[in-house]
Amino acid sequence: MDVPSWEERIVIDPANPFGLPDFQVADLHGRTSSEVVADLVPGTRLVKAFHMLPHELLGADPYQAGARRVIFLSGGWFIRASRREQSCYIRICVRYILIFVEERMFAQDRARKLAILIITCVGFFMVLLDTSIVNVALPTIQTDFHASLTDLQWMVDAYTLPFAALLLTAGSLGDRFGRKRLFLIGLIGFTLGSALCALAPNLQLLIAGRALQGAGGAALSPGSLSLLVAAFTDHKERTQALGIWSGISGLALAAGPVVGGVLIRVSNWPAIFFVNLPIGTLVFILGWRILAESRNPHARRLDLPGQVLAIAGLASLTYALIEGESAGWTSPLILSLFASAAAFLIAFLVVEARVREPLLPLQLFKSVVFSTANAAAAVVGFALLSTVFFVTQYFQSVQGYSALDAGLRTLPSSMGIFLTAPVAGQVAARFGPRVPITLGALLSGVALLLLIRLDPTTSYANIWWNQGMYGIGFGLMLSPLTAAGLSTIPQHRAGLGSAVLNTSRQIGSVFGIALLGALVEQQFINNLFSKLSNLGIPGSISQKMVATIASAGAEGGQVQFSGSLPVASHVLHQVINQAFTDSLHISFLTTGTLLLFTGGVCALLLKVPRHVEADKDIPSDTPEELVPASGEI
């Protein structure tokens, strides 16, 4: 039976439903519970009455009594009243105080939970938005700073590399030193990084700001999740809150290119970073006042050797892949970086196998399903971010669209992910995670292979459905991969398993930009030299032109040459656009083939029961105690 709300129950009416003397009507709205308790002291005059007759009241359920009236009665009446009436009075008062305090406390708790949900989701939204919003700004940044394609790769990987490398440690830091503290420190780092990016006078400081953003985001992301888990203890409320929190990722992915395009059109590229400053400041103030601190008394120890080795290995490998083309793949620097990366990562595995509480528990990978899910998550990250990176450049630098127009033209892929992700969970619950994962990998793989037919003049009518196709494919894979990976993990390690899967996806994103960027740049050089030679330009001149143009990537048409050119400028511009578009084909071929292979592997190895728990990827049922912490930052 539905219980009417407080406003529905309390009706102020001067009528005397009992026909009792010496009463006054009192409006109790805004009164504190202590004031109400004080009114129950003998000699005061509070009573809660109903609009029905006294004899009906005595046996009636309060929730069936209809509208209520609140009246004050004189203390003299209580003394003169019969025991039956006094008993009725006391019962009404006790019932009243229970209802009043319960509902007032619930109202305050609901407001606090709503505030926590908003604060954590806005912080999480900022982190994810900066993953996608910067893509539409890259060509403008490239023009302003005369940046190369390698510089653009650093713009993306400077954010995703620290984010991926610090994600696991950040969760442990929050458990040990306080989730609120971690969240607010991450928010400070992210906001300061945004300010540095917005004010950066050169590319080096801009990349440094992106790295600070990524480090702050690594603290914000797990911090926001753990704060929600601590605040929403009821299973139903927690499921709803985490559903909203998860949906934020799809919303940020869809909104990023459009928001970035609008801000660049209204102002310029620094606006995409300036917008974080007032939002970050407001979220910090609200979080400081509203969020409750909590810790896990059984938090894992910090694995500092493992963390240092992981950062060193990933950074060395990323640097070698991005700078390999410009420095020379056989140069001492690049070869030493590859050797260092191998040494660091091998040492990392040795440390993780021996330490008591490792950063990355290797025994988790004894499960074929968990290992396969992590590998597939890495492939998704590898293909998704690199595809968005190159398609955005194609729209702006090759086809000449503005940042806003390019952002709008990427909507089919982001909306495909946003709309399909919730459906994927339902499909996984009914048919098992293997079905949507395999279908999604095959669908996105075919869609990317179809992009090989891209030409500088390809109509958008022939592109948008390809984007929607691979967006739907990626959307089908995301949440079922988490469910599949966690299906073989003990429930008390679900939070750690979810973090490992997220880290795998982020590492895939890092190497997708680094490796595919290197392949595209090398292919662009080869294509450009071949096309210039076909125009009859001598080899020595072609080499000089290629060296000047290639570093600029798709913006090579804006390079200024001294002296007269051996070919008309508009012809050179067409050659550059064609060479760059053709070089993108190797990216689409690589990612499409890899996704098709992943689909086949998942079909064979992801043998998961159909009814995987929908919320097993949430550390909601872990037997950890949330201990209030008194310290602040």
Side-chain angles (χ1 to χ4, degrees):
M1 176 174 47
D2 294 334
V3 178
S5 66
W6 168 258
E7 288 76 14
E8 291 172 333
R9 291 195 221 172
I10 299 300
V11 178
I12 306 304
D13 192 340
N16 180 2
F18 286 136
L20 301 175
D22 303 327
F23 73 90
Q24 295 177 338
V25 178
D27 185 353
L28 295 181
H29 287 287
R31 295 172 64 83
T32 65
S33 56
S34 60
E35 291 173 337
V36 175
V37 172
D39 282 335
L40 292 178
V41 175
T44 57
R45 305 174 299 167
L46 177 68
V47 70
K48 182 179 180 185
F50 301 94
H51 70 293
M52 54 185 59
L53 298 175
H55 71 276
E56 294 176 346
L57 171 64
L58 297 178
D61 186 322
Y63 294 139
Q64 296 176 341
R68 276 51 174 237
R69 271 73 172 167
V70 179
I71 61 174
F72 276 73
L73 300 174
S74 66
W77 172 84
F78 184 85
I79 296 174
R80 297 192 301 269
S82 65
R83 290 186 179 181
R84 184 178 181 85
E85 290 173 328
Q86 290 175 344
S87 176
C88 172
Y89 177 91
I90 294 173
R91 288 173 55 191
I92 293 172
C93 290
V94 171
R95 179 75 69 173
Y96 165 79
I97 190 61
L98 290 176
I99 294 174
F100 181 83
V101 174
E102 176 190 10
E103 292 193 358
R104 177 59 59 90
M105 290 177 65
F106 173 76
Q108 292 175 348
D109 190 54
R110 179 171 53 188
R112 185 184 66 84
K113 289 181 178 179
L114 180 61
I116 292 173
L117 180 63
I118 293 174
I119 291 168
T120 53
C121 284
V122 170
F124 187 49
F125 181 82
M126 290 170 61
V127 172
L128 295 177
L129 188 70
D130 261 56
T131 304
S132 59
I133 196 174
V134 75
N135 285 302
V136 294
L138 289 177
T140 308
I141 293 173
Q142 183 177 23
T143 301
D144 285 359
F145 287 120
H146 306 290
S148 65
L149 180 61
T150 298
D151 295 326
L152 297 188
Q153 291 174 261
W154 277 120
M155 274 288 298
V156 177
D157 273 357
Y159 182 85
T160 54
L161 179 59
F163 187 88
L166 297 174
L167 200 56
L168 289 175
T169 295
S172 298
L173 287 173
D175 289 341
R176 180 170 291 273
F177 299 109
R179 284 75 176 263
K180 173 183 176 181
R181 179 173 298 179
L182 175 75
F183 180 83
L184 295 181
I185 289 176
L187 189 61
I188 292 172
F190 185 86
T191 306
L192 290 178
S194 299
L196 182 59
C197 289
L199 300 172
N202 54 56
L203 194 63
Q204 290 71 27
L205 284 178
L206 179 57
I207 292 174
R210 289 287 289 167
L212 184 55
Q213 277 190 312
L220 264 175
S221 181
S224 63
L225 176 60
S226 57
L227 284 168
L228 275 186
V229 172
F232 291 85
T233 55
D234 178 76
H235 180 76
K236 182 179 180 181
E237 289 183 350
R238 176 181 289 170
T239 302
Q240 293 172 343
L242 289 172
I244 295 172
W245 184 87
S246 301
I248 288 294
S249 59
L251 181 60
L253 181 65
V258 178
V259 173
V262 171
L263 291 173
I264 293 172
R265 170 169 288 188
V266 171
S267 179
N268 203 342
W269 65 262
I272 68 173
F273 301 111
F274 271 128
V275 73
N276 292 328
L277 304 187
I279 299 175
T281 302
L282 178 61
V283 172
F284 179 85
I285 294 172
L286 294 176
W288 180 280
R289 294 177 58 89
I290 295 173
L291 296 177
E293 187 60 283
S294 63
R295 296 187 180 116
N296 179 7
H298 308 294
R300 293 185 301 147
R301 294 180 180 180
L302 298 181
D303 180 14
L304 291 181
Q307 180 65 84
V308 171
L309 289 171
I311 293 175
L314 291 175
S316 299
L317 185 55
T318 303
Y319 192 95
L321 290 173
I322 292 179
E323 297 293 338
E325 180 58 41
S326 58
W329 293 105
T330 58
S331 66
L333 173 63
I334 299 303
L335 291 177
S336 62
L337 284 170
F338 277 125
S340 299
F344 285 134
L345 293 176
I346 291 173
F348 170 76
L349 295 177
V350 172
V351 169
E352 297 306 283
R354 295 182 177 181
V355 72
R356 193 174 77 175
E357 295 184 7
L359 175 69
L360 180 64
L362 299 182
Q363 63 268 27
L364 293 177
F365 293 91
K366 292 180 179 179
S367 166
V368 174
V369 172
F370 185 79
S371 299
T372 304
N374 274 273
V379 170
V380 169
F382 183 91
L384 178 56
L385 190 58
S386 61
T387 300
V388 175
F389 177 79
F390 289 122
V391 167
T392 304
Q393 287 193 64
Y394 169 78
F395 281 135
Q396 289 185 257
S397 300
V398 176
Q399 295 204 325
Y401 289 112
S402 67
L404 177 57
D405 291 335
L408 290 171
R409 279 165 173 76
T410 63
L411 274 179
S413 59
S414 53
M415 290 304 296
I417 297 174
F418 178 62
L419 297 175
T420 308
V423 179
Q426 299 176 6
V427 175
R430 182 171 182 179
F431 301 103
R434 180 167 54 175
V435 172
I437 292 171
T438 303
L439 180 61
L442 297 177
L443 190 64
S444 54
V446 170
L448 290 176
L449 290 177
L450 289 174
L451 286 178
I452 294 176
R453 60 190 173 80
L454 270 188
D455 189 80
T457 58
T458 301
S459 169
Y460 183 67
N462 295 323
I463 302 175
W464 71 267
W465 60 270
N466 265 147
Q467 292 182 284
M469 188 175 171
Y470 68 71
I472 292 172
F474 287 131
L476 285 172
M477 297 180 71
L478 291 175
S479 60
L481 275 174
T482 303
L486 299 181
S487 63
T488 59
I489 292 181
Q491 186 69 22
H492 69 278
R493 309 199 80 175
L496 175 62
S498 181
V500 172
L501 283 160
N502 192 15
T503 300
S504 298
R505 187 165 56 248
Q506 297 301 330
I507 291 175
S509 300
V510 173
F511 292 131
I513 294 295
L515 179 59
L516 293 176
L519 291 176
V520 167
E521 187 173 4
Q522 179 62 54
Q523 189 64 41
F524 180 47
I525 292 173
N526 296 337
N527 292 343
L528 190 58
F529 182 80
S530 175
K531 292 181 183 300
L532 291 176
S533 299
N534 291 338
L535 292 176
I537 301 175
S540 59
I541 298 177
S542 294
Q543 288 180 349
K544 292 180 180 179
M545 293 180 65
V546 168
T548 304
I549 295 171
S551 62
E555 294 293 318
Q558 300 184 15
V559 174
Q560 300 297 321
F561 292 91
S562 59
S564 60
L565 291 173
V567 64
S569 58
H570 72 277
V571 174
L572 179 61
H573 185 70
Q574 292 175 354
V575 167
I576 292 172
N577 284 345
Q578 187 66 57
F580 183 76
T581 304
D582 291 346
S583 68
L584 295 182
H585 296 169
I586 191 171
S587 171
F588 301 139
L589 176 63
T590 302
T591 53
T593 304
L594 187 58
L595 280 164
L596 292 180
F597 177 75
T598 301
V601 171
C602 291
L604 292 174
L605 300 181
L606 284 183
K607 298 178 180 180
V608 184
R610 289 188 178 184
H611 299 290
V612 177
E613 294 181 25
D615 60 346
K616 195 174 181 179
D617 56 324
I618 299 164
S620 58
D621 297 321
T622 55
E624 66 175 39
E625 180 185 356
L626 298 175
V627 179
S630 58
E632 296 296 345
I633 294 178

